[in-house]
Amino acid sequence: MPHVISKDGTRIGYSKTGSGPALVLVDGAFGHRAFGPNMDLPPLLADRFTVYTYDRRGRGESGDTQPFSVERETDDLEAVIAEAGGSACVYGVSSGVPLALDAANAGLAIPKLVVYEGPFVVDDSRKPIPEDLRAQMETLVKEDRRSQAIKLFMTKGVGLPGIFVTMMRLMPAWSKLKRVAHTAPYDVAALGDTGRGRPLPAGRWSDVKSPVLVVVGGKSPKWMKNAMGALAEVLPDARHRTLDGQMHVVKGKAIAPVITEFLTG
């Protein structure tokens, strides 16, 4: 399968489809080319864009050179954009949102971005993400207690009720989550201090010069709506949109027209 080489030598698997301007899709936690909400998007966007999907490090066909750092994930995205011709629009979902924004803030050639529901906690509308969540998860993964690590991430990180996560363990997708559970701490690291129940830091993405469309689902919880409103306020050039009828796992047929309209407008 096609791959690019990141700055630290890590092989990053990718796919491309369609024709037109380059568009790179950045997955959130657990997602990769063979799993997650972005799987449905390439055929829905391929008539207007050359769509690049890639496996974030540690997932699918990508390597996982240690030690991990958020900067290395930025380098991975930079390598995919270089493969796309040196410039590409980006769509980031969930914990892929801070990664996409960090890349733009670092000066990567990203003409426009669309971001959907970065899981920031900016007020008291939900419990903050524990400061030691990443360390707790890394310990569980090292002990090969992957199911416990996923449950911790889903309850303390995502904010799902424990009973709901217990039911998830009975579903076929749980085994796919376990295979990439070691990468969930990477997503916690990407969030940094943006999940602590405090306002977003005004300077973290102050160098993002590209226009950004910030999207939230109309059926998503209050804390997520508040977070996306706050994100639109701190970005230098942002528009905010609510996508009626959608929740955090957004349907491809709902978000694809929004992506196309913004990126081609």
Side-chain angles (χ1 to χ4, degrees), residues 157-204:
V158 181
L160 295 177
I163 186 63
F164 182 81
V165 179
T166 299
M167 293 175 62
M168 287 178 62
R169 297 180 66 166
L170 304 176
M171 300 176 182
W174 192 260
S175 61
K176 296 180 180 180
L177 296 177
K178 287 179 66 175
R179 281 197 287 272
V180 293
H182 60 285
T183 66
Y186 304 170
D187 294 272
V188 179
L191 286 175
D193 292 331
T194 61
R196 305 286 189 254
R198 300 187 293 266
L200 292 172
R204 175 163 175 179

Side-chain angles (χ1 to χ4, degrees), residues 4-236:
V4 295
I5 303 296
S6 194
K7 285 182 181 179
D8 66 355
T10 303
R11 290 169 59 100
I12 302 297
Y14 79 93
S15 302
K16 73 173 182 176
T17 186
S19 60
L23 169 61
V24 180
L25 310 185
V26 182
D27 282 300
F30 305 105
H32 51 90
R33 287 179 294 165
F35 182 71
N38 280 347
M39 285 181 60
D40 296 337
L41 277 177
L44 298 173
L45 296 166
D47 61 332
R48 301 295 297 272
F49 305 98
T50 302
V51 183
Y52 288 79
T53 54
Y54 72 103
D55 296 332
R56 287 176 55 188
R57 62 174 51 212
R59 311 177 191 184
E61 297 180 346
S62 290
D64 194 20
T65 304
Q66 296 296 312
F68 170 82
S69 73
V70 175
E71 292 74 19
R72 287 185 170 188
E73 285 236 65
T74 302
D75 292 341
D76 301 343
L77 178 53
E78 183 176 18
V80 177
I81 291 175
E83 181 70 15
S87 175
C89 293
V90 170
Y91 168 66
V93 61
S94 192
S95 51
V97 171
L99 174 56
L101 292 173
D102 284 350
N105 198 66
L108 273 63
I110 301 174
K112 289 185 177 182
L113 298 92
V114 179
V115 296
Y116 187 86
E117 295 203 353
F120 312 125
V121 184
V122 299
D123 53 29
D124 61 359
S125 54
R126 63 152 281 186
K127 291 183 178 180
I129 297 173
E131 293 188 19
D132 63 345
L133 179 61
R134 178 184 177 187
Q136 289 188 60
M137 293 186 62
E138 288 175 341
T139 297
L140 290 171
V141 170
K142 288 178 182 178
E143 295 174 352
D144 200 28
R145 299 166 64 193
R146 290 182 170 236
S147 286
Q148 291 89 333
I150 297 168
K151 182 176 181 180
L152 183 64
F153 180 83
M154 292 294 188
T155 53
K156 302 299 184 181
V158 181
L160 295 177
I163 186 63
F164 182 81
V165 179
T166 299
M167 293 175 62
M168 287 178 62
R169 297 180 66 166
L170 304 176
M171 300 176 182
W174 192 260
S175 61
K176 296 180 180 180
L177 296 177
K178 287 179 66 175
R179 281 197 287 272
V180 293
H182 60 285
T183 66
Y186 304 170
D187 294 272
V188 179
L191 286 175
D193 292 331
T194 61
R196 305 286 189 254
R198 300 187 293 266
L200 292 172
R204 175 163 175 179
W205 297 302
S206 58
D207 290 332
V208 176
K209 307 305 182 186
S210 308
V212 183
L213 179 64
V214 178
V215 189
V216 67
K219 296 177 69 175
S220 290
K222 179 181 178 180
W223 69 269
M224 183 63 75
K225 293 177 180 177
N226 292 353
M228 292 301 93
L231 177 62
E233 290 181 2
V234 301
L235 292 172

Side-chain angles (χ1 to χ4, degrees), residues 249-262:
V249 181
V250 62
K251 294 181 179 179
K253 289 184 178 179
I255 192 65
V258 174
I259 295 171
T260 298
E261 178 184 8
F262 182 72

